[in-house]
Amino acid sequence: LIERSFELGEYFHQELQNIKLKSSVIENIFGKGMIAAIHFKFSEDLEKNIRYVNNLATDLMSQGLLVVKTGRSSIKLGPPLSITKIDLDKGLKIISSLLCQ
């Protein structure tokens, strides 16, 4: 499980970086292994930023992903260590569809 999660973690972060390249709203991707945070580019309007993150988290959760909204300018992702590559790809596709518009 540890070796597999290490390999999937590398894949997970590489795919998140690919999404970042296509997205105009992602500032950076942080994390290690199967834990990641997506940090967004925002304006000085804190209320608008929080609304965006809250709406995004709601949209991701409504499509079956479990995310943690930090209340700031990022969301955290932590797929289960037992996730299959197929299911990880499904989740990444959902993330991409919302962030690469």
Side-chain angles (χ1 to χ4, degrees):
L1 185 63
I2 293 171
E3 284 180 32
R4 193 173 155 291
S5 64
F6 177 78
E7 292 168 9
L8 273 182
E10 287 184 342
Y11 175 77
F12 179 48
H13 282 274
Q14 182 58 52
E15 292 302 307
L16 288 173
Q17 291 297 329
N18 290 339
I19 291 170
K20 177 187 170 202
L21 293 174
K22 297 180 227 169
S23 174
S24 62
V25 296
I26 297 176
E27 178 74 29
N28 214 338
I29 307 288
F30 299 101
K32 187 173 183 178
M34 294 298 285
I35 300 292
I38 300 175
H39 185 263
F40 298 98
K41 299 175 187 176
F42 283 124
S43 67
E44 298 297 317
D45 185 349
L46 183 60
E47 293 278 329
K48 181 179 176 184
N49 300 345
I50 291 171
R51 256 190 328 273
Y52 177 83
V53 171
N54 287 342
N55 290 339
L56 177 62
T58 299
D59 290 346
L60 289 167
M61 288 187 277
S62 73
Q63 293 192 48
L65 299 183
L66 181 59
V67 300
V68 175
K69 53 186 174 179
T70 63
R72 298 182 215 150
S73 59
S74 65
I75 59 169
K76 299 214 178 1
L77 308 167
L81 299 180
S82 60
I83 194 169
T84 65
K85 187 171 181 294
I86 291 169
D87 287 334
L88 184 60
D89 282 335
K90 287 178 187 176
L92 289 163
K93 186 175 180 180
I94 292 167
I95 293 166
S96 180
S97 71
L98 291 173
L99 296 178
C100 299
Q101 300 176 10

